[in-house]
Amino acid sequence: MVPKMNVSRIAIVGGGIGGLTAALALQHFGYRVSIFEQARELKEIGAGVTITPNAMHALNFLGTGERVASEAGPTEPYWIRHFQTGERLKLRANGADYVERFGADYYQVHRADLHAALVDAILKNDPDCVVLDHCFRSLTQEPDRVVATFTNGKSYSSDILVGCDGCASRVRASVFGDEAVNYTGQVAFRALIPMRDLPTSIEKMPFSMFVGRNRALLHYPLRHRTLMNVISVAREPAWQAEGWAIPATVDEFVKTHSDFHSDALDLIGAVSSATLFKWGLRDREPLQQYTKGRVTMLGDAAHPMTPFLGQGACLAIEDGMVLGRAFAAANSYEEAFHMYENARKDRANGAQLASRQQADELQGVTERGANPGVNAEERGLFRYNPVTVPLITAA
Ligand SMILES: Cc1cc2nc3c(=O)[nH]c(=O)nc-3n(C[C@H](O)[C@H](O)[C@H](O)COP(=O)(O)OP(=O)(O)OC[C@H]3O[C@@H](n4cnc5c(N)ncnc54)[C@H](O)[C@@H]3O)c2cc1C
């Protein structure tokens, strides 16, 4: 496709799910992009991610949905269970009629599989699109370009730049000032367990979420039920360590959940310390403006959110799709950024705040105690289609 505008150099900082989707969408509409990623190798962490119909629309449109779905395998509903009694409180994600209701399906995907599907599609379009080992340091905006500099001493001039560098975004700090990235008071444990190592109690009910008293533990199978994904988020007042992959011990995991139902403890008991990691969740206040001049923000860099609605990656995918469409529809980059921000800000910032509320419900800190809360589906988030949502031009 021939690009509509004369925007020949687009820089994307960050090769996570958001940056990759934005790149693929822009390529789809004829634009050439360069992704600058700090890592020496493009990869994702070993964990699951739920991709709901709102995001599947974009993956389907961009040609990666089928691969993601076929690698994930069918998704089944999961039970919300009381953390102590194990009582089944509510059946969730009963997706049998999602295609009929929302026009797309729901998948529980290994992050590495989603990431690889996006990378392969991008590199097929342009083998030189990804520039590794480039850690963004700062940028300057000039009348006709934006110049990014990297910690390796290199720099790159582009017509526009998209900051997709995650929660602790340096692009955001460069453009909007260096405000705090807050520790949310929540620590996440994550592990993968081969299905053959699971206790019978979990084999019988492989999809569930135990909720209550400051914790929420979710488990669901990945890759056609060959791996069990386990993620638990627990309130913990203080946190010092940095990073996504801090090794944790099974003893520590058990201790944090010692009052949980025996099924949950059986599951934790099957974890091997070699695959167990923890990290402190971080959050920022909603960004009131995503764009300044020739730079805009996308994904966690724009709207980092806690994982209680399972929507951070889905919203990053939506962002990327809408950004691509805006560049296909607009007559200038200013107009495209306006269309993008207009279509995205209220939705993404709203989900960011809703996710905090949902934490309080699931973790039983409201008067109602442990309860299923109001999930993303019930909040209407699955009804959004980033491929067709109207894009409004500046007045
Ligand atoms: C426990 C947990 C569970 C979750 N579960 C779900 C779920 O089920 N469903 C869902 O939709 N979402 C989920 N999320 C949210 C989701 O993981 C994030 O919202 C998503 O990964 C954001 O993608 P991103 O591309 O914006 O940012 P990131 O994934 O953080 O990617 C940022 C990229 O930028 C690179 N980068 C960073 N700094 C620089 C720099 N200075 N220079 C160059 N490159 C840089 C990084 O290396 C990385 O590749 C979960 C989050 C957590 C914490």
Side-chain angles (χ1 to χ4, degrees), residues 79-128:
W79 281 101
I80 302 279
R81 301 178 69 183
H82 189 276
F83 78 107
Q84 245 170 350
T85 64
E87 181 196 346
R88 297 174 192 196
L89 302 174
K90 190 159 187 168
L91 192 64
R92 285 290 199 205
N94 196 351
D97 60 354
Y98 278 180
V99 174
E100 203 180 300
R101 281 167 60 211
F102 304 118
D105 228 324
Y106 174 123
Y107 294 96
Q108 289 156 334
V109 181
H110 195 298
R111 280 172 181 267
D113 297 344
L114 171 60
H115 200 260
L118 291 168
V119 170
D120 288 352
I122 288 162
L123 294 181
K124 198 168 159 204
N125 291 333
D126 175 5
D128 300 322

Side-chain angles (χ1 to χ4, degrees), residues 14 17-18 37-38 50 111 136 165 231 279 300 310-314:
I17 290 163
E37 165 58 46
Q38 65 181 358
T50 55
R111 280 172 181 267
F136 172 89
D165 49 341
I231 179 109
W279 75 102
D300 274 8
Q311 285 295 306
C314 293

Side-chain angles (χ1 to χ4, degrees), residues 120-193:
D120 288 352
I122 288 162
L123 294 181
K124 198 168 159 204
N125 291 333
D126 175 5
D128 300 322
C129 166
V130 181
V131 186
L132 296 171
D133 202 8
H134 272 58
C135 178
F136 172 89
R137 183 175 21 216
S138 63
L139 62 80
T140 51
Q141 298 209 45
E142 296 173 13
D144 59 344
R145 62 189 184 146
V146 46
V147 182
T149 56
F150 300 90
T151 56
N152 59 12
K154 298 197 172 147
S155 63
Y156 184 78
S157 291
S158 55
D159 297 308
I160 60 150
L161 183 145
V162 189
C164 310
D165 49 341
C167 179
S169 170
R170 285 200 201 171
V171 175
R172 179 164 165 167
S174 267
V175 176
F176 295 103
D178 212 354
E179 23 93 59
V181 185
N182 305 316
Y183 169 58
T184 56
Q186 304 269 10
V187 172
F189 290 88
R190 69 177 164 87
L192 291 175
I193 311 173

